[in-house]
Amino acid sequence: MTLKNKKLQLKILKININSKKINVSFNIKNKYYNAEYYLIKKGLYKYFNIDKFKIMYTKNGKPYLNNGIYLSISHDREIVVVALSNVPVGIDIQYYRKLNNNVLTNINKLLNIKSNIITNFSIKEAILKLNGDVFKNINNYDINDYHIISHYTKKYIIICVCYKYMIK
C-alpha cells in the first residue's frame, strides 16, 4: 500500500460542556458525550459538508467515523475538544496543574523527559490517541515522527498530532 502525501485539512473545535449551544441530550448523565456529539456534527457539516455519520469504537475505545474523516476527542475539566481531519489525527487537552516533586519525578521517568512536563505529556497522549494505543506503550513512539500543532492559553494547552509522512 502506498501512502500519498495530502494537503492537511484539520479542524479543531472546542466547547464548554455547560454551553447552552449544546441542544442534544442523548445521554442526560454524560455532558461530555453530548458536547462531543455536538462538535462532531457541527464540524462535519460546516467543514466537510457531511450531515450523516456514525461514531464507532475500536477494541481499545478509540472513536472513529464511518465516512472517511478521521476523528480524535479529548476533554479535561469542563472543556471538550474534537479534531476532524482528512488524515489520521490525535488530540489532547491538559489544564496546567501544580504537581508535587514525587509526581514530577515519576512523570519524568515515565516519559523519559527532563522539562516541560505538561506539553510533553500532552504530545504523547495525542500520539497514543492517534495510534489507538494504551498508556503502557507511551514510550514506544518517537515524537519526531509526528507533525505537532499546539495552542496555549493561560489555563490549558491543546496538542494535535498527525504523521509527518502523510502531509505536504
Side-chain angles (χ1 to χ4, degrees):
M1 180 171 105
T2 305
L3 294 172
K4 296 181 180 177
N5 286 355
K6 296 181 176 183
K7 182 177 180 189
L8 179 63
Q9 292 178 282
L10 172 67
K11 296 299 175 189
I12 299 172
L13 300 102
K14 169 183 72 101
I15 198 164
N16 185 302
I17 61 170
N18 298 310
S19 172
K20 302 256 188 258
K21 292 180 183 177
I22 303 170
N23 57 6
V24 293
S25 55
F26 294 105
N27 188 337
I28 291 294
K29 295 180 183 177
N30 193 336
K31 287 185 174 184
Y32 292 106
Y33 180 82
N34 295 335
E36 292 163 6
Y37 187 88
Y38 170 80
L39 290 176
I40 294 165
K41 184 174 181 169
K42 176 184 170 187
L44 285 175
Y45 186 75
K46 184 174 181 178
Y47 301 110
F48 296 95
N49 201 27
I50 296 171
D51 60 354
K52 294 182 181 180
F53 64 95
K54 183 175 181 182
I55 304 170
M56 297 172 285
Y57 298 88
T58 66
K59 65 180 181 173
N60 286 339
K62 178 182 177 178
Y64 66 97
L65 298 170
N66 64 337
N67 57 18
I69 300 298
Y70 295 92
L71 163 73
S72 188
I73 301 168
S74 183
H75 51 79
D76 193 3
R77 298 186 189 168
E78 73 281 353
I79 301 294
V80 172
V81 291
V82 168
L84 298 168
S85 182
N86 64 328
V87 299
V89 64
I91 195 165
D92 189 55
I93 181 171
Q94 294 290 326
Y95 269 83
Y96 302 117
R97 295 168 171 80
K98 291 185 179 181
L99 303 172
N100 68 42
N101 284 338
N102 289 337
V103 172
L104 290 174
T105 301
N106 289 335
I107 291 175
N108 279 341
K109 285 179 187 175
L110 176 67
L111 298 180
N112 196 22
I113 58 172
K114 293 187 172 120
S115 65
N116 207 339
I117 291 162
I118 293 294
T119 300
N120 283 291
F121 180 78
S122 195
I123 291 169
K124 293 226 175 179
E125 276 278 314
I127 290 170
L128 285 175
K129 289 178 182 182
L130 166 62
N131 289 289
D133 209 344
V134 292
F135 192 77
K136 70 179 183 177
N137 297 327
I138 199 163
N139 283 318
N140 292 352
Y141 301 97
D142 182 350
I143 64 172
N144 295 311
D145 294 336
Y146 299 89
H147 179 69
I148 300 167
I149 299 153
S150 57
H151 173 71
Y152 297 87
T153 72
K154 291 180 181 178
K155 294 181 179 180
Y156 55 82
I157 178 174
I158 298 172
I159 297 286
C160 193
V161 298
C162 54
Y163 301 112
K164 277 186 181 176
Y165 68 85
M166 292 193 77
I167 60 172
K168 289 182 183 181

